[in-house]
Amino acid sequence: MNDLPKELIEALRKAKKVAVLTGAGISAESKIPTFRDAMTGLWASFSPEELATPEAFARNPKMVWDWYAFRREMCAKALPNPGHLALAEMEKHFEQFTLTTQNVDGLHQRAGSRRVFELHGSIARVKCADTGRLLGGEIPECDEPPPLHPETGGMLRPDVVWFGEALPEQALLESAQAAIEADVYFTIGTSALVYPAAGLPIEAGRAGAVVVEINPIETPFTQLATFSLRGKSGEVLPAIVEALR
Ligand code: BJW
């Protein structure tokens, strides 16, 4: 990518505090399908309400468990892509760098990012659906999923945030604080439809940050962004890191 705005690189050179929000698009180049892209989205054949709500799990726990088991395996096999790696590299350039992700795939940490806040949980963890107690060891084998928590006897579910559920308080607080303190705020690979995550770049902009969107297509956030870079994060982010060298 040759046509990065000069003003953006200048703003980054001056910036002390940088914060980032990522969504499913950053993992698209690691072959993890996004949620809402036509045809390829994970929900192309299912509606979110069928799979990612507590009500869906209560109605059909086996279907929801199986869907997450399939995705857990896909995430475990996936590898971080140049976009994840560029963000891990970028972390070293700034006095403060806060990476908030809506993704549950763990790829930022595997790429080497150190300060990561997972707003929607982690697909690698499971917990008791009744008590919220996390499972310590391996997921137990069972004939009729979901398996049960060995200590509580309740059904296991993924430790992710479904619609209508509260986000992890500390992760949200730290992310909101980073947004209002940021000199430059990036919103990368997200459709900007799901709140409260989608409110973070809005807050950053209101507090005076230079806000940069990276996405191949327009989103509801595009109009508010200072710079909207049309492209894949796996191409745009390495170009930004290169320009900062
Ligand atoms: C690329 C690319 C490439 C492709 N490079 N880019 C305010 C207003 C309206 C509604 C609400 C509101 N506040 C709360 C709500 C309700 C609700 C909500 O937001 N609803 C809207 C949909 C209307 N929010 C909630 O319910 C949240 N909870 C809550 O608010 O609780 C309140 C509460 C307080 C106290 C007590 C109790 C409750 C919870 C939201 C949870 C979202 N969960 C999910 C599932 C997580 C688990 C899982 O993975 O299965 O999170 S839904 C799903 O959407 C997932 C994602 O993290 C999230 C966002 O999706 P994302 O990442 O943006 O993906 P896509 O597919 O939408 O977009 C991908 C983008 O990438 C596209 O733009 C592509 O173009 C782009 N792209 N290739 C760069 N190579």
Side-chain angles (χ1 to χ4, degrees):
M1 182 159 191
N2 302 320
D3 48 358
L4 288 172
K6 271 200 211 81
E7 299 84 351
L8 167 60
I9 301 305
E10 277 161 22
L12 279 169
R13 283 195 200 288
K14 281 193 224 136
K16 290 194 165 46
K17 297 185 180 182
V18 172
V20 180
L21 172 70
T22 64
I26 195 160
S27 296
E29 290 156 85
S30 296
K31 300 196 172 55
I32 298 180
T34 62
F35 290 93
R36 296 178 184 81
D37 287 336
M39 307 306 289
T40 61
L42 281 171
W43 290 339
S45 47
F46 293 99
S47 75
E49 291 72 22
E50 278 175 286
L51 298 164
T53 67
E55 293 77 16
F57 186 70
R59 244 187 341 259
N60 196 339
K62 179 177 178 338
M63 181 168 93
V64 174
W65 176 268
D66 286 347
W67 186 60
Y68 278 96
F70 162 75
R71 288 176 54 209
R72 186 176 304 115
E73 203 179 319
M74 181 164 55
C75 292
K77 286 184 185 150
L79 294 174
N81 67 54
H84 298 107
L85 295 168
L87 286 178
E89 183 61 31
M90 223 191 250
E91 186 168 16
K92 300 173 192 157
H93 280 266
F94 301 100
E95 202 174 286
Q96 184 181 301
F97 188 86
T98 305
L99 174 47
T100 296
T101 187
Q102 299 170 85
N103 299 343
V104 298
D105 55 34
L107 287 178
H108 287 302
Q109 292 90 333
R110 285 172 56 199
S113 285
R114 297 197 314 180
R115 191 173 149 81
V116 181
F117 294 105
E118 290 177 317
L119 282 189
H120 293 164
S122 166
I123 203 163
R125 295 188 301 262
V126 296
K127 64 183 181 185
C128 170
D130 300 331
T131 63
R133 181 145 167 203
L134 285 172
L135 178 74
E138 293 283 298
I139 297 173
E141 292 288 327
C142 76
D143 294 336
E144 193 54 36
L148 304 181
H149 195 293
E151 279 123 29
T152 65
M155 275 192 246
L156 287 170
R157 57 158 281 184
D159 186 25
V160 299
V161 181
W162 285 332
F163 285 113
E165 293 184 327
L167 277 67
E169 201 178 335
Q170 194 60 25
L172 186 56
L173 275 173
E174 299 260 13
S175 301
Q177 187 63 30
I180 57 174
E181 286 178 356
D183 301 310
V184 179
Y185 195 93
F186 284 93
T187 172
I188 304 169
T190 175
S191 56
L193 293 172
V194 175
Y195 284 81
L200 292 169
I202 299 174
E203 289 306 319
R206 275 197 196 124
V210 169
V211 185
V212 188
E213 176 181 64
I214 302 177
N215 199 308
I217 61 167
E218 277 195 20
T219 75
F221 189 73
T222 301
Q223 298 303 318
L224 300 174
T226 322
F227 298 103
S228 203
L229 307 180
R230 287 280 153 271
K232 295 182 175 181
S233 45
E235 293 168 5
V236 179
L237 285 167
I240 292 175
V241 170
E242 191 53 42
L244 285 176
R245 285 211 169 100

